[in-house]
Amino acid sequence: MVAWRRIATYCGFAGPIVSIGAIMLATIVAPLETFTWHGRALSDMGRYGAPTFFLFNGGLIVGGLLGFPFAWRLWLESRNSLERVGIVLLAVAVVGMIGVGIFFLEHTTLYLETSLHGLAALTVFGVAPFAGWIYGTGAALAGDGRLAVASFWLGIVHPVAWLGWLVSLGGAIDTGTWFAVPEFVAALAFGGWILSLALTVSRRADSEPDVSA
């Protein structure tokens, strides 16, 4: 059991690194006709037929799958019901991230008549901040001030990024203008929160006596 818990903790480090790393690499290698920061969304790099199709979508799927073992590890470490609600929401956001990779743009040309890409993306960006706030509230009640602050502030990054984008456009929603920027900022905030959780869990494990299971 100890070995499985350690592996699950490592998944908490690996998941954000894989997903964010794949996104960053895709932005570097994507040709200008398929992606630019000022004129495209991140998901355009995962559009069916794009040169970065496998890199972008594969990174989201693999990174998301790594999130499930870590969510299990967090559940074992949970100290109250609010932390557990936050963990469930974290898992829901991870499902959305995997969904973005599976239901890529124009997936209807290959399967399903209804596009589920928008719903998957909304699940990630809409649920992730609430996961941080609720988990952070539970951490505060458990006396873990440092983790609570990190959870709250990294959760706040999400609405601030989207609000800043809207303000820059004068309140007009235009997904073809700098849309990738708030998307990437929100992705960094979500990944950074998971990394902070993994670091906290790892430190707790190191402080515990080494017993075999």
Side-chain angles (χ1 to χ4, degrees), residues 99-118:
V100 171
I102 294 176
F103 304 116
F104 46 84
L105 287 177
E106 299 180 4
H107 71 80
T108 52
T109 61
L110 296 179
Y111 54 86
L112 297 182
E113 295 181 354
T114 302
S115 175
L116 298 177
H117 182 82

Side-chain angles (χ1 to χ4, degrees), residues 34-46:
T34 60
F35 177 77
T36 60
W37 285 101
H38 65 274
R40 297 278 189 166
L42 291 180
S43 293
D44 283 307
M45 294 185 291

Side-chain angles (χ1 to χ4, degrees), residues 82-103:
L82 283 176
E83 285 193 344
R84 286 188 283 274
V85 171
I87 294 166
V88 170
L89 291 179
L90 182 154
V92 171
V94 166
V95 169
M97 185 172 72
I98 295 173
V100 171
I102 294 176
F103 304 116

Side-chain angles (χ1 to χ4, degrees), residues 7-8 54-55 65 68 76 82 105-106 111 118 132 135 152 168 212:
I7 292 172
F54 290 105
L55 173 60
L65 290 174
F68 290 125
L76 296 179
L82 283 176
L105 287 177
E106 299 180 4
Y111 54 86
Y135 186 92
F152 277 119
S168 71
S212 59

Side-chain angles (χ1 to χ4, degrees), residues 15-30 35 37 41-46 52-61 63-64 97 100-101 124-125 180-191:
I17 293 173
V18 170
S19 57
I20 299 298
I23 293 173
M24 292 183 66
L25 182 57
T27 64
I28 294 172
V29 303
F35 177 77
W37 285 101
L42 291 180
S43 293
D44 283 307
M45 294 185 291
T52 49
F53 174 81
F54 290 105
L55 173 60
F56 182 82
N57 295 317
L60 293 181
I61 293 171
M97 185 172 72
V100 171
V124 182
F125 296 127
V181 175
E183 283 187 304
F184 187 65
V185 172
L188 283 177
F190 186 42

